Amino acid sequence: MTATKGLEGIVAAESSISSIIDGTLTYRGYNIDDLADYATFEEVVYLLWHGKLPNRDELSALQKQFDENSAISPAVIDQMRLYPSNANTMAVLRSAISALALYDDLADDMSREANVAKAVKLQAKLPAVVAAYARLRAGKEPVAPQAGRSIAYNFLYMLTGEEPEASAVKAMDKALVLHADHELNASTFAARVTVATLSDVYSGVVSAIGALKGPLHGGANEAVMKMLEEIGSLDRVEDYIQDKLDRKEKIMGFGHRVYKNGDPRAKHLQAMSRELGSKSGNLELYNMSVRIEEIVTGQKGLKPNVDFYSASVYTLLGIPRDLFTPIFAISRVSGWTAHILEQYENNRIIRPRAEYTGPAVQRYVPIAER
Ligand SMILES: CC(=O)SCCNC(=O)CCNC(=O)[C@H](O)C(C)(C)COP(=O)(O)OP(=O)(O)OC[C@H]1O[C@@H](n2cnc3c(N)ncnc32)[C@H](O)[C@@H]1OP(=O)(O)O
Ligand SMILES: O=C([O-])CC(=O)C(=O)O
């Protein structure tokens, strides 16, 4: 038995949810470029869960379900009041979502109907949890979402308590569409491994949040912004990046296990970063990002991934850096739950083997003789 480090190139599941073929990303066969330009996030969620784009009635029914399920149990809000105000926001999300399961009578009901209902609840509640913590840590009360509004609108609204600008809602919606699913990425795989033991939907999503948190995966968007803040200005980009490359350090937001010729989502986020920068009259972050890309791609051949330009996009939307990865989770929970439902449909426990590299057989030595 020989191990494949990082399972590179291993096909570990069959899935009809999203595909990456020759560098093209599709959700249920629809090209990500079309979905980014024309679909709303709610349409994409329906598509991922049900395998087809919704008609108007189906979309309104989904919107109604989100409206009815976005409230967070007061007990969970009270627990969140006790969380430290400087807690890691992904740890907050992981804890709060785990706590939500305690107040869901269907948490351990394994029927398809109950599992779809849990997917709806999780999609509806994640944005409310993230926004509630952002307000609680600032000494403010959570704001309830508005019925009939999109997840993008309500997330921005719940953060500030003020009506968001239409351009900001549009940008947030597009970002959610772009992050919704991505084949067998690490967090989705973690979710599938967890539920393949026939554990519950919440456990799968909590596992996924834990995996997304890491800077080699979803945590990279926050790491990119930290880097941009450290660099500070366009004239300092060259020295900073060159120094990192000379020291063989990774540049966050670049490279990808599957895409070797570029991530098709990055160009959309780059365009959004440019538009939002122009609109705000400050293109510094966009210009810095473009210069970083020129250097890293020029010297290493590495292209930006989905996390690179999303950092400047979220900053230009006025969102604090430590909410970037939770926003990724607000979108990706749609994909995680689609994969969880698919795993249950045709389940087999996921249990690969390890190549043993430890000592050869040893004789047990009683403690007195050691
Ligand atoms: C939503 C997402 O999860 S997208 C990915 C987000 N993560 C990041 O942006 C973090 C930075 N990128 C990385 O760490 C990696 O490119 C990953 C984790 C995305 C992919 O990892 P892997 O497929 O294992 O690639 P691996 O790390 O083996 O890289 C291959 C080579 O490119 C180099 N490389 C890869 N990414 C980078 C980078 N961002 N900066 C500098 N060098 C890099 C590696 O050092 C390695 O070089 P070597 O062959 O000389 O040792
Ligand atoms: O697919 C991956 O490995 C990481 C990624 O881009 C994503 O999850 O969106």
Side-chain angles (χ1 to χ4, degrees):
M1 285 194 302
T2 317
T4 304
K5 202 165 179 200
L7 298 183
E8 179 164 7
I10 303 288
V11 177
E14 286 182 359
S15 178
S16 64
I17 302 169
S18 61
S19 69
I20 306 169
I21 299 169
D22 297 333
T24 299
L25 170 63
T26 66
Y27 298 166
R28 302 277 190 192
Y30 292 95
N31 193 304
I32 191 65
D33 293 336
D34 292 336
L35 295 171
D37 286 341
Y38 307 120
T40 64
F41 179 58
E42 283 73 8
E43 283 181 280
V44 163
V45 175
Y46 189 99
L47 174 68
L48 294 175
W49 287 348
H50 301 291
K52 70 183 219 19
L53 285 167
N55 60 30
R56 280 189 200 286
D57 289 346
E58 288 160 340
L59 192 59
S60 329
L62 183 65
Q63 176 69 51
K64 192 159 171 278
Q65 287 183 313
F66 287 154
D67 291 344
E68 288 166 357
N69 284 285
S70 56
I72 312 167
S73 152
V76 174
I77 294 280
D78 283 343
Q79 286 175 33
M80 288 172 74
R81 290 183 201 282
L82 302 175
Y83 293 170
S85 61
N86 63 351
N88 179 294
T89 48
M90 286 298 279
V92 164
L93 188 62
R94 197 183 57 212
S95 308
I97 298 305
S98 196
L100 283 177
L102 309 179
Y103 304 93
D104 186 346
D105 293 340
L106 296 181
D108 289 311
D109 182 332
M110 293 299 280
S111 65
R112 160 112 189 149
E113 206 186 3
N115 286 333
V116 172
K118 280 173 270 183
V120 169
K121 285 182 210 175
L122 281 157
Q123 182 64 69
K125 290 183 203 304
L126 244 84
V129 165
V130 175
Y133 178 69
R135 290 185 68 82
L136 289 170
R137 71 177 175 182
K140 297 177 193 159
E141 278 306 297
V143 169
Q146 294 179 24
R149 294 290 196 176
S150 68
I151 287 173
Y153 178 100
N154 267 326
F155 176 64
L156 295 172
Y157 171 67
M158 287 187 286
L159 274 183
T160 62
E162 285 160 25
E163 183 164 342
E165 278 185 32
S167 58
V169 175
K170 201 165 165 235
M172 179 55 65
D173 194 64
K174 199 169 193 170
L176 295 178
V177 167
L178 290 166
H179 287 82
D181 196 46
H182 210 241
E183 202 222 46
L184 214 51
N185 63 87
S187 53
T188 300
F189 188 51
R192 290 189 78 130
V193 169
T194 297
V195 301
T197 66
L198 294 185
S199 187
D200 66 290
V201 175
Y202 286 95
S203 298
V205 168
V206 169
S207 297
I209 293 170
L212 189 72
K213 176 175 179 283
L216 296 188
H217 189 18
N221 56 12
E222 188 179 333
V224 170
M225 196 58 227
K226 199 157 174 271
M227 171 176 77
L228 288 167
E229 285 167 14
E230 270 169 25
I231 299 173
S233 58
L234 183 58
D235 57 309
R236 285 171 36 91
V237 166
E238 197 128 2
D239 286 352
Y240 181 100
I241 297 294
Q242 196 56 59
D243 184 52
K244 269 204 179 283
L245 290 176
D246 291 347
R247 288 202 250 167
K248 307 236 171 293
E249 284 179 28
K250 279 191 170 172
I251 313 294
M252 301 317 262
F254 284 86
H256 200 276
R257 171 59 67 80
V258 183
Y259 299 119
K260 298 303 173 198
N261 286 318
D263 180 330
R265 301 165 295 180
K267 61 181 179 295
H268 293 282
L269 289 152
Q270 175 172 5
M272 287 156 71
S273 172
R274 188 178 52 234
E275 273 166 40
L276 291 166
S278 302
K279 192 168 173 291
S280 72
N282 185 354
L283 279 161
E284 183 81 351
L285 281 179
Y286 172 74
N287 288 335
M288 285 168 69
S289 304
V290 169
R291 186 71 197 112
I292 295 170
E293 180 180 344
E294 280 167 6
I295 299 170
V296 177
T297 306
Q299 289 193 28
K300 302 275 296 184
L302 292 164
K303 306 270 174 65
N305 57 50
V306 72
D307 288 315
F308 186 62
Y309 284 99
S310 63
S312 47
V313 165
Y314 297 146
T315 299
L316 287 160
L317 289 174
I319 294 167
R321 188 179 84 202
D322 69 354
L323 299 189
F324 294 3
T325 315
I327 291 174
F328 198 148
I330 288 171
S331 167
R332 185 58 60 87
V333 71
S334 60
W336 292 333
T337 45
H339 280 266
I340 288 170
L341 293 170
E342 187 179 65
Q343 183 68 37
Y344 286 142
E345 288 297 310
N346 187 17
N347 190 58
R348 191 168 187 215
I349 193 166
I350 298 171
R351 200 299 186 195
R353 296 297 311 276
E355 180 188 355
Y356 180 67
T357 58
V361 177
Q362 302 199 75
R363 190 183 65 82
Y364 178 79
V365 182
I367 196 160
E369 293 168 30
R370 283 177 224 157

